Amino acid sequence: MAQGEKVIVCDKLTKRFGDFIATNEITFEVNKGEIFGFLGANGAGKTTAMRMLCGLSTPSSGKASIAGFDVYTQTEQIKRNIGYMSQKFSLYENLTVKENIEFFGGIYGLTDQQIETKTEELLNRLGLKSEAKKLVGSLPLGWKQKLSFSVAILHEPKIVFLDEPTGGVDPVTRRQFWDLIYEAAERGITIFVTTHYMDEAEYCNRISIMVDGRIEVLDSPTNLKRSFGVSSMDEVFYQLARSAKRGD
Amino acid sequence: MRTLRFLLKKEFRQIFRDKAIVALIFFMPCIQLIVMPLAADYEVRNVNLAVVDHDKSPYSQKLISKVIASGYFRLQGYNSSFHEAFKLIESDKTDLILEIPQGFERNLIREDKQRLFVAVNAINGTKANLGGSYLSSIIGAFNADMRMQLVQQPRYSQFPVIDIVASNWFNPVLNYKVFIVPGILAILVTMVGGFLSALNIVKEKEIGTIEQINVTPIKKHIFILGKLIPFWVLAIIIFTIGLILARVIYGIAPVGSLLTLYLFIAVYLLTVLGFGLLVSTLCDTQQQAMFIMFFFMMVFILLGGLFTSIDSMPDWAKFITRFNPVRYMIEVMRMIILKGSGLKDVLPHLAAVSAMAVVLNGWAILNYKKTN
Ligand SMILES: Nc1ncnc2c1ncn2[C@@H]1O[C@H](COP(=O)(O)OP(=O)(O)OP(=O)(O)O)[C@@H](O)[C@H]1O
Ligand SMILES: [Mg+2]
């Protein structure tokens, strides 16, 4: 892994909603090509943090730069360099698989030629060739998520943000999804991913665990298990999350 | 610009994929244009009429049969006295009393002047008033007829005795459909365009797809244009269908230039759609957007001059209508379609809606936030 180049630099990044501090002074860095797991219980503030990093939400205070661009002033440059898969499925359900790919490819400025080859590649890779003309709304959740991920990296971004990309799908599909993540990481795309599955946490190079808006720990899964003196990530998470006051 | 192409493609695909919307978009205007003018008809028929004929002369008979033959009145009977007839008004059995005084025929021939008495039941005001004015026109016409016959005998006056008939210049046969249809067409495109645009962006917010758009480097004005153009095209199509229907069903063809009409519509639609999109950017749910649009549509239409004339509104209401795009639209529709006004005549209207279009669309773009 190429150490050194930092693609995400976050310094005391904070988001307040009125009196409520959803994300509280989080500070961390992510290296280029890394798979970074962003963990935390429900309501810990993961989505809020991620939306700030994507330029979808303006921070209340603190600093952050994504691919070298500032989250306050250069949101549009950030958007050119990232992909985002939101927690809620957000491709167009009333467009077909192909139409969605074409649309997002077009929005990101791909040429017609590029769109065509990308579509071909993607459909082959996901085994969706026979589904190309089906409405996305009619696909099973697992396929939707794989499609959603593939669309998010269609324009070969530097970083892709995945917000609970595998929520609600079976273990086999999750494994297939992680294969896609690894392939993207191999091409040099930095992965920033949130998850509630501890087996997925093990796949990450490094993880942070958020509790009530703060990042409590940040290290590789191996180091975390060692420092907590436990054998699984589950237990690390459990020990930390137990102290949480938020959640639903 | 390339981005716009993809946006438009997507938008049109979504619109035409939703069969319910397509049906709504095309059938609603047709049905409304066929049904509404019939219901929203100011023409009053079956006005109940009581006649008190003190003269009982051939002329008075002639007048009465002419009144009945007009088809607007239903004779409730002859009464021997006004008092008796008035009882009918009191019991709401009649709307109008026509009293023909004794000596009607004699006076008309001799003095060329005769008073008739018309009493109106003001309970059903519209009916009676309109009935009253129909009656006046018929009597006026009767007068003119009499005159025609009488002038052949030179000792009588050359001038018409009375002329109560108001000149309905641009609507010569006093056909209210001619008056109402362009207005209804105006309101139709306003409603369809306004509601579709108001619900669109907010729908993307509701289902969350806007997030996926906002995270792309798309330019705000391109995005808004991508929403504006499809509905603009749709509304123009609906308008064209409406014009054709007006022609086929009611025989109403624009007297003025189609080009001017379409130029105005083109700009006017930008105003309406801009307003819808602005509402869409302000709301979080389709329900909110719907309520806001209903409120404004009601105000716009009630103060639009379709059902009530703007001239007879109080000053404050008149002032408000200056900021009401629908008012300009209805006026221009009538001007161009019925009166044959040219570009020069509608220039002030065009300027007003252009200014509103710029403000509303600019505001919508500013208010659409990719980062919040
Ligand atoms: N727009 C908002 N206004 C007010 N409070 C908000 C807003 N968005 C999020 N919050 C609150 O901030 C807290 C963190 O929310 P967030 O969605 O970031 O959590 P999360 O870690 O992503 O949780 P989950 O695992 O359930 O997705 C929650 O308590 C939530 O209610
Ligand atoms: Mg979340």
Side-chain angles (χ1 to χ4, degrees), chain A residues 122-188:
Chain A
L122 198 156
L123 292 176
N124 278 328
R125 173 64 188 86
L126 299 183
L128 281 176
K129 254 193 124 76
S130 51
E131 264 72 31
K133 292 208 169 75
K134 279 197 183 154
L135 294 187
V136 163
S138 69
L139 298 180
L141 182 61
W143 284 4
K144 280 187 190 171
Q145 287 173 333
K146 283 188 246 176
L147 178 66
S148 186
F149 173 73
S150 307
V151 168
I153 58 167
L154 207 58
H155 57 297
E156 293 291 325
K158 292 204 172 97
I159 312 157
V160 64
F161 291 88
L162 309 172
D163 198 352
E164 288 184 39
T166 56
V169 299
D170 64 77
V172 177
T173 311
R174 286 204 283 126
R175 274 303 281 269
Q176 292 168 351
F177 195 95
W178 274 86
D179 287 341
L180 292 175
I181 292 183
Y182 275 119
E183 281 167 31
E186 245 148 58
R187 293 208 300 272

Side-chain angles (χ1 to χ4, degrees), chain A residues 181-208:
Chain A
I181 292 183
Y182 275 119
E183 281 167 31
E186 245 148 58
R187 293 208 300 272
I189 299 176
T190 305
I191 314 283
F192 187 96
V193 57
T194 77
T195 178
H196 288 301
Y197 300 108
M198 289 308 132
D199 56 329
E200 291 185 354
E202 305 265 9
Y203 302 149
C204 299
N205 300 124
R206 283 193 307 149
I207 55 173
S208 71

